[in-house]
Amino acid sequence: MAATTHLEASLARRRSLTDEERVVLRALPSERSTYAHGDLIVREGIAPEGSCLLVRGMAMRAHRIGRSERVVSALHVPGDFVDLHSFLLDHLDHDIVAVGPCTIDFVAAEHLEEITRDYPHLGRLLWLETLIDAKMHRMWVATRAALRGSQRVGHLICELHARLGMVGLVNGGGFEMPLDQRGLAEVLGYSVVHVNHAVRDLRAEGLLEWTGGRMRLPDPGGLAEFAGFDPAYLELTHPKG
Amino acid sequence: MAATTHLEASLARRRSLTDEERVVLRALPSERSTYAHGDLIVREGIAPEGSCLLVRGMAMRAHRIGRSERVVSALHVPGDFVDLHSFLLDHLDHDIVAVGPCTIDFVAAEHLEEITRDYPHLGRLLWLETLIDAKMHRMWVATRAALRGSQRVGHLICELHARLGMVGLVNGGGFEMPLDQRGLAEVLGYSVVHVNHAVRDLRAEGLLEWTGGRMRLPDPGGLAEFAGFDPAYLELTHPKG
DNA sequence: CGGCACTTTGAGAGTGGTCAAACGTCGTGG
DNA sequence: CCACGACGTTTGACCACTCTCAAAGTGCCG
């Protein structure tokens, strides 16, 4: 599937697109790359000449604060326009790192500028994507203050389940999980040992199965209830045209 | 000063505006309101018909997660377009609450739509404001993972010092601080007792003076060094036209 | 002077970190 | 087929960070 088809699907999942807009998106040039687990997709500090659309795999934003190890501020799933914002900002303040094998489509900044100039509604949909990213960031801030241990782990798992479900990557109640317990700890700001205990507790409660790089939620509602997860912040529906 | 002059100043602090754009912004109708400390400015779940520009005071975003007390995901200072995103999203997933006495200018959604439609560059500046919000959110996620205790408290104080400085609200090395220790704890996701100890330590190190609702940084560089604070993420400069 | 709100201190307990070691699993090479 | 090593998972011991509850101290204002 071409890059632009992915962008089309990505925008269409939240708002309706006209036929003309679909044509414009399909005609949008892009360049495809693949990465292995842990590869640097975009390096902190550089001025990217385009933005990257995540087609397959996951990616994370990794910051360096003071003298600490890298810390993760966000996780992205297929369909996410990972650094769409870099075409208005001049440089990234963090790395973008591949989580599991990744496929990325790069879209040049000039083409994004054309879209925002010539197709205001499409421009607003791109803006909307960045606003939803911001909502997720705020929810991460809030859940880190409100939840501890297995609830916090469960909340992230619910979020991934919902986000991957939206792009058709959940089947049989489960999904591919490219992060191991160490990676999950890094994303959550926990230690491996602590995540291990939280996962053990979720398993014991019958709320999580996780083997061989695949996660399954035997009782998604129960996990959501347990973790205080309300998917409203993900804007999964089509409320406006 | 009229609402629209504030918006003009707000956008001009990061990018250059043309004379025409300044005229458009000054002609933008808005409605002014004032609030007392703790007042609800916008309630979770409603569909606002406009966006609010913070003119004076501070405001915070307060979430409810699971069965927890309210948790704060962001803090806003004068010049911030607090819920600019609500004109593309259909409802807020959190409250916006006044911190100290606040003045707010409401701008109707239809006028924002006109601007984004008729003045693409202005639209991009509005988009940029929301992108910088998102950067701050990510930094909050990252600092909560990377920093503890007095470093985390110090980082927030450095951020406030920098953001208030950008809008001319720092004088004599200090600024008005409408939050008390309890409020600061709420914003940081800490308990009052813990914040009190962190503040005590910062004072003992000569990095903070805080009396009578006013905060002063005797050694801003020293505090930034101590807290691992790098203001780059706030985009204080004018790198693009 | 008497409230009242905020700050400060102390004690005890839960959450989460570090270090270290044991255990499993899986792919490679003999 | 088995031995081996690499890597991820699991467990235990111990300690630091942070919370809650409680109470005392401080400053402001009627």
Side-chain angles (χ1 to χ4, degrees):
Chain A
M1 197 178 346
T4 52
T5 341
H6 279 278
L7 182 52
E8 180 192 343
S10 174
L11 297 182
R13 64 188 170 175
R14 292 204 174 89
R15 297 288 191 268
S16 309
L17 295 177
T18 66
D19 290 341
E20 184 194 12
E21 287 168 346
R22 291 180 183 272
V23 169
V24 169
L25 291 175
R26 282 179 201 156
L28 189 64
S30 69
E31 194 174 329
R32 176 155 297 188
S33 312
T34 60
Y35 298 86
H37 180 73
D39 283 358
L40 211 53
I41 299 174
V42 184
R43 182 185 299 277
E44 173 183 350
I46 72 159
E49 295 175 354
S51 295
C52 57
L53 176 68
L54 182 53
V55 172
R56 188 182 60 100
M58 294 189 189
M60 64 187 191
R61 305 178 185 279
H63 297 237
R64 259 171 283 277
I65 311 281
R67 293 161 289 292
S68 67
E69 315 256 302
R70 74 176 182 195
V71 287
V72 176
S73 66
L75 198 54
H76 285 281
V77 301
D80 288 354
F81 219 145
V82 180
D83 65 344
L84 179 51
H85 52 280
S86 69
F87 104 93
L88 281 180
L89 302 170
D90 11 289
H91 61 86
L92 279 185
D93 58 350
H94 57 267
D95 295 334
I96 296 177
V97 179
V99 174
C102 279
T103 305
I104 296 279
D105 283 341
F106 278 97
V107 181
E110 54 180 311
H111 296 125
L112 293 172
E113 288 175 21
E114 285 167 19
I115 285 186
T116 60
R117 191 185 57 228
D118 300 337
Y119 302 91
H121 181 245
L122 277 184
R124 283 170 58 180
L125 293 192
L126 291 175
W127 187 355
L128 176 64
E129 290 297 309
T130 67
L131 292 177
I132 292 168
D133 272 357
K135 284 187 86 167
M136 286 193 274
H137 297 333
R138 286 193 291 272
M139 194 54 69
W140 278 37
V141 172
T143 54
R144 276 160 192 240
L147 307 176
R148 342 245 83 199
S150 51
Q151 287 189 321
R152 191 146 124 198
V153 174
H155 197 279
L156 177 62
I157 293 172
C158 285
E159 183 185 303
L160 283 178
H161 184 257
R163 290 169 69 187
L164 291 169
M166 178 165 45
V167 290
L169 291 173
V170 169
N171 45 67
F175 53 89
E176 297 303 312
M177 179 56 168
L179 286 165
D180 57 17
Q181 291 192 8
R182 177 160 36 97
L184 188 54
E186 206 172 11
V187 168
L188 285 161
Y190 274 156
S191 69
V192 193
V193 176
H194 202 61
V195 164
N196 180 265
H197 288 171
V199 167
R200 179 235 292 152
D201 295 345
L202 290 176
R203 281 175 172 147
E205 295 291 330
L207 295 173
L208 175 66
E209 295 166 14
W210 184 9
T211 52
R214 186 175 171 79
M215 243 181 203
R216 211 178 82 83
L217 277 58
D219 176 13
L223 185 58
E225 159 87 29
F226 172 77
F229 175 75
D230 174 357
Y233 71 96
L234 296 172
E235 303 266 331
L236 304 179
T237 52
H238 276 250
K240 285 186 177 178
Chain B
M1 194 177 349
T4 51
T5 341
H6 279 279
L7 181 53
E8 179 193 344
S10 175
L11 297 182
R13 64 188 171 175
R14 292 204 174 89
R15 298 287 192 268
S16 310
L17 295 178
T18 66
D19 290 341
E20 184 194 12
E21 287 168 346
R22 290 180 184 273
V23 169
V24 170
L25 290 175
R26 282 178 201 157
L28 188 64
S30 68
E31 195 175 329
R32 175 155 297 186
S33 313
T34 60
Y35 298 86
H37 180 73
D39 282 358
L40 209 53
I41 299 174
V42 185
R43 182 185 298 277
E44 172 183 350
I46 72 160
E49 294 176 355
S51 296
C52 57
L53 176 68
L54 181 55
V55 171
R56 188 181 60 99
M58 293 189 190
M60 65 188 191
R61 304 179 185 278
H63 298 239
R64 260 172 282 277
I65 312 281
R67 294 161 289 292
S68 67
E69 314 257 301
R70 74 176 180 194
V71 287
V72 176
S73 66
L75 198 54
H76 286 281
V77 302
D80 287 354
F81 219 146
V82 180
D83 65 343
L84 179 52
H85 52 280
S86 69
F87 104 93
L88 281 182
L89 301 171
D90 12 288
H91 61 88
L92 279 185
D93 57 350
H94 57 267
D95 295 334
I96 295 177
V97 179
V99 174
C102 279
T103 304
I104 295 279
D105 283 341
F106 278 96
V107 181
E110 54 181 312
H111 296 124
L112 292 172
E113 287 174 23
E114 285 168 18
I115 284 187
T116 60
R117 191 185 57 230
D118 301 336
Y119 301 91
H121 181 245
L122 278 183
R124 283 170 58 178
L125 293 190
L126 292 175
W127 187 355
L128 176 64
E129 290 297 309
T130 66
L131 292 178
I132 291 168
D133 272 358
K135 283 186 86 166
M136 287 193 274
H137 297 333
R138 286 193 291 271
M139 195 54 71
W140 279 36
V141 172
T143 53
R144 277 161 191 239
L147 307 176
R148 342 245 83 199
S150 52
Q151 288 190 320
R152 191 145 124 198
V153 175
H155 196 278
L156 177 62
I157 293 172
C158 285
E159 183 185 302
L160 283 178
H161 183 257
R163 291 170 68 186
L164 290 169
M166 178 165 46
V167 290
L169 291 173
V170 169
N171 46 67
F175 54 89
E176 297 303 313
M177 179 56 168
L179 286 165
D180 57 17
Q181 291 192 9
R182 176 161 37 97
L184 188 54
E186 206 172 11
V187 168
L188 285 160
Y190 274 156
S191 69
V192 192
V193 175
H194 201 62
V195 163
N196 180 266
H197 289 171
V199 166
R200 179 235 293 152
D201 295 345
L202 290 176
R203 281 173 171 147
E205 295 291 330
L207 295 173
L208 174 66
E209 295 167 13
W210 183 10
T211 52
R214 185 174 170 79
M215 243 181 203
R216 211 178 82 82
L217 277 59
D219 175 13
L223 185 58
E225 159 88 29
F226 172 76
F229 175 74
D230 174 358
Y233 71 97
L234 296 172
E235 303 265 331
L236 304 178
T237 52
H238 276 251
K240 285 185 177 178

